């Protein structure tokens, strides 16, 4: 608003007055450099603004201008393959304009306004349309159809519609009341996109990681918290799921993590091949980068930007995997902003509304029936990393997430130190989707799936108990059956739960291979148990050959799977000879 001036500057927070008639979460431009900011508190005509850019050099008395709209993202063709900062600016295009470091006050449109897209209409003149209807289609990437949607809340009769090459700034259709529809649409990032209905999950979200798919599965549209201390492999887990997870679109948010890790993602993703299409994986990925060396205020907005993009592709009828690394850094941004606002702190200094904010964010996951016609369903599956200080899962961010997340993949530093990757603590982890996933796996993979899963979980629990006893009395003093549990438990951890991210045949594991491995190990355990019951001592059992056969099965390619599985069965059948 004209006449508003900066009254006080405290780090990323700026107070300005007079700002009459402005709304909470409205965007403003601050100072001569026109820094982007957002109103987060109003008291009379005085507004408190969180600035998304570096405020160094900002002085009292500089002008403040209101934009009249909240933080929005421009959604449309061109998002796939994009690398955005926390407020939606395209980092790669901005690097061409300003160099490797963003100059404060630089503006950039999320979508490239110069690119023309071949628009194929799916409705005709005179047809009524409502919010969510598919207006037409654009081939955003080779083989990927981008469905152009009527914005929610808009309805009318099509008076004119175009076809052919269009940019996102050119009208694609005109309604009878004169309103124009474009290939893209704007949406406020803090507001969930509306849906027709929420529906039950249809299938599990397959990760290609055996420990998750087998022991702690997640449903499509489900939520997973992945807490772990420093060095436990949270970032590797998230990146592996982004590469191999069974999703049509991947949205990856680097929220407050180290810049070198995000730089590695940016270098690696364009080189990765999508196993489904053979084309670069980046073509179905959207990256949002707000690393620890970027302004902390934009970190708070970055996860909302990412999940809004995910909801947009969900509304087209796609399965979207959303991953944030990590929510703890987002919560730290909330804590810093709350401290500058002098809000009453809660546990460990976090604002008292932390659990409420986290709950509302996690609830944006799920399977839905989208608005409009034709009928279509989509999903957003959330898998978010947490970085509890010192690996303490009792801290507020982890506890608030566990109240609403459907699964916990707890990473253990002691397992990581023993080179067990993924370093998942199978005693602390759980999944509320196990019963649903078990029914799907029994129908589509193998009838013994649930029996194998339950038996393996009990075996691992028993192995840990025996390990504690063996540490006191020695392994040699144990009964043969207990020593067998230790032997087979080690095989479970090495061949079934552990994976080598550098082995091209082991970095991703099809669900059929997981089932074959679990079946073979369990068959070995039952055969050895029967032989021990018949009086055969453990030393007489030839376990070396089954071990080698299981190692070969683990490293088998898809073409070798049947042969290696048969060899493992033969080796197990001869274990007592």
């Amino acid at each position: 608003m004209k006449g508003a001036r900066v009254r006080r500057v405290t780090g990323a927070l700026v107070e300005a007055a007079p700002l009459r008639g402005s709304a909470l979460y409205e965007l403003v431009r601050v100072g001569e450099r026109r820094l982007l900011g957002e109103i987060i508190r109003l008291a009379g005509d005085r507004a408190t603004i969180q600035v998304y850019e570096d405020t160094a050099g900002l002085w009292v008395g500089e002008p403040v201008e209101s934009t009249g709209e909240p933080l929005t993202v421009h959604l449309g063709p061109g998002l796939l393959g994009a690398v955005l900062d926390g407020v939606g600016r395209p980092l790669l295009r901005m690097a061409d304009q300003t160099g490797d470091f963003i100059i404060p006050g630089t503006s950039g449109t999320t979508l490239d306004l110069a690119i023309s897209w071949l628009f194929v209409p799916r409705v005709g003149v005179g047809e009524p349309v409502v919010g969510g209807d598919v207006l037409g289609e654009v081939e955003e990437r080779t083989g990927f159809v981008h469905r152009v949607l009527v914005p929610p809340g808009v309805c009318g009769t099509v008076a004119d519609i175009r076809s052919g090459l269009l940019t996102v700034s050119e009208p694609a259709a005109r309604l009878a009341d004169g309103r124009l529809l474009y290939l893209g649409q704007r949406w406020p990032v803090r507001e969930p996109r509306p849906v027709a209905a929420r529906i039950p999950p249809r299938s599990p979200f397959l990760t290609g990681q055996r420990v998750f798919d087998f022991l702690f599965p997640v449903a499509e549209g489900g939520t997973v918290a992945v807490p772990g201390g420093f060095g436990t492999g949270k970032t590797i887990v998230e990146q592996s799921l982004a590469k191999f997870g069974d999703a049509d679109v991947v949205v990856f948010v680097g929220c407050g993590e180290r810049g070198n890790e995000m730089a590695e993602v940016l270098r690696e993703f364009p080189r990765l091949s999508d196993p489904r299409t053979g084309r670069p994986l980046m073509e179905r990925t959207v990256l949002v980068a707000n690393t620890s060396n970027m302004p902390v205020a934009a970190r708070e907005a970055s996860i909302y930007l990412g999940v809004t993009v995910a909801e947009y592709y969900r509304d087209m009828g796609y399965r979207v995997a959303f991953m944030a690394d990590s929510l703890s850094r987002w919560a730290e941004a909330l804590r810093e902003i709350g401290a500058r606002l002098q809000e009453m702190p809660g546990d460990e200094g976090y604002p008292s509304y932390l659990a409420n904010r986290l709950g509302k964010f996690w609830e944006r996951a799920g399977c839905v029936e989208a608005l409009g016609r034709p009928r279509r369903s989509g999903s957003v599956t959330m898998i978010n990393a947490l970085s509890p200080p010192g690996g303490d899962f009792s801290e507020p961010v982890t506890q608030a997430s566990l109240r609403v997340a459907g699964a916990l993949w707890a990473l253990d530093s002691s397992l990581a130190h023993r080179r067990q990757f993924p370093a998942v603590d199978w005693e602390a982890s759980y999944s509320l989707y196990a019963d649903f996933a078990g029914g799907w796996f029994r129908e589509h993979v193998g009838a013994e799936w649930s029996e194998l899963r339950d038996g393996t979980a009990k075996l691992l629990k028993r192995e840990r108990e025996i390990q504690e006893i063996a540490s006191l009395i020695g392994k040699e003093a144990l009964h043969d059956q207990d020593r067998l549990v230790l032997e087979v438990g080690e095989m479970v951890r090495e061949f079934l739960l552990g994976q080598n991210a550098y082995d091209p045949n082991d970095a991703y594991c099809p669900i059929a291979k997981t089932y074959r491995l679990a079946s073979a190990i369990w068959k070995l355990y039952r055969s050895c148990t029967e032989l021990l019951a018949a009086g055969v001592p453990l030393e007489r059992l030839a376990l070396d050959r089954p071990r080698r056969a299981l190692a070969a099965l683990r490293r088998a390619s898809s073409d070798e799977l049947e042969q290696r599985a048969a060899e493992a069965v033969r080796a197990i059948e001869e274990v007592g000879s």
Side-chain angles (χ1 to χ4, degrees), residues 133-459:
D133 282 357
V134 176
L135 191 67
E137 294 177 348
V138 163
E139 189 175 37
E140 183 173 3
R141 295 283 184 172
T142 302
F144 187 94
V145 175
H146 184 111
R147 299 179 178 97
V148 178
L149 307 177
V150 178
V154 174
C155 62
T157 303
V158 177
D160 183 38
I161 190 164
R162 301 174 63 184
S163 63
L165 294 175
L166 296 173
T167 66
V168 293
S169 57
E170 294 179 300
R174 177 174 56 83
L175 300 182
D177 58 8
R179 284 182 292 179
L180 301 175
L181 303 180
Y182 299 84
L183 298 187
Q185 56 183 267
R186 296 187 179 275
W187 191 262
V189 299
R190 299 182 189 278
E191 182 181 339
R193 288 178 61 87
V195 299
R198 287 189 170 268
I199 58 177
R202 300 164 292 187
S203 62
F205 174 77
L206 300 179
T207 67
Q209 306 300 300
R210 290 187 289 267
V211 65
F212 302 138
D213 290 339
F214 184 57
L215 288 184
F216 310 110
V218 57
E220 183 181 296
T223 53
V224 185
V226 190
F230 178 77
T232 54
K234 299 184 300 298
T235 301
I236 297 299
V237 167
E238 293 254 303
Q239 292 177 12
S240 296
L241 298 180
K243 297 172 194 174
F244 303 121
D246 187 20
D248 301 314
V249 176
V250 175
V251 180
F252 186 91
V253 181
C255 181
E257 291 301 297
R258 293 180 292 276
N260 61 330
E261 292 182 350
M262 200 67 199
E264 182 181 350
V265 173
L266 296 179
R267 285 193 301 267
E268 187 176 353
F269 265 57
R271 298 198 298 262
L272 291 174
S273 176
D274 188 339
R276 296 187 297 179
T277 64
R279 300 186 59 82
L281 181 65
M282 194 67 190
E283 292 190 358
R284 61 179 179 94
T285 302
V286 182
L287 297 178
V288 180
N290 192 269
T291 52
S292 56
N293 60 331
M294 291 182 172
V296 68
R299 187 187 305 172
E300 191 267 341
S302 62
I303 65 168
Y304 295 111
L305 171 73
V307 77
T308 300
V309 173
E311 289 175 336
Y312 178 61
Y313 282 98
R314 173 206 68 188
D315 292 347
M316 295 183 203
Y318 291 117
R319 300 169 301 156
V320 184
F322 174 90
M323 297 161 199
D325 186 12
S326 73
L327 286 190
S328 296
R329 305 290 179 252
W330 170 82
E332 288 172 4
L334 277 187
R335 179 166 61 183
E336 181 173 329
I337 294 168
R340 294 187 185 277
L341 287 171
Q342 299 180 349
E343 295 175 331
M344 182 67 70
D347 291 345
E348 298 189 18
Y350 290 105
S352 57
Y353 49 78
L354 171 67
N356 179 269
R357 289 275 184 92
L358 273 172
K360 289 181 177 179
F361 172 71
W362 283 99
E363 287 172 0
R364 293 178 72 166
C367 293
V368 305
E369 182 179 320
L371 293 174
R373 300 158 295 184
R375 292 188 61 181
R376 58 199 181 278
S377 58
S379 64
V380 174
T381 305
M382 274 193 186
I383 303 175
N384 295 324
L386 302 167
S387 306
D392 179 14
F393 292 178
S394 65
E395 59 88 35
V397 182
T398 304
Q399 288 300 306
S401 296
L402 294 185
R403 293 189 188 104
V404 290
L408 167 66
W409 295 345
L411 304 183
D412 188 345
S413 57
S414 65
L415 292 174
H417 294 157
R418 298 205 300 264
R419 316 303 297 170
Q420 174 78 34
F421 291 105
V424 177
D425 184 343
W426 41 82
E427 287 192 341
S429 301
Y430 63 83
S431 173
L432 302 180
Y433 309 108
D435 291 340
F436 161 77
W440 189 91
F441 286 129
R442 286 195 301 272
E443 180 180 351
H444 294 85
V445 183
E448 294 184 341
W449 181 276
S450 296
E451 178 185 346
L452 292 173
R453 178 185 179 275
D454 294 342
T456 302
K458 292 176 182 177
L459 179 69

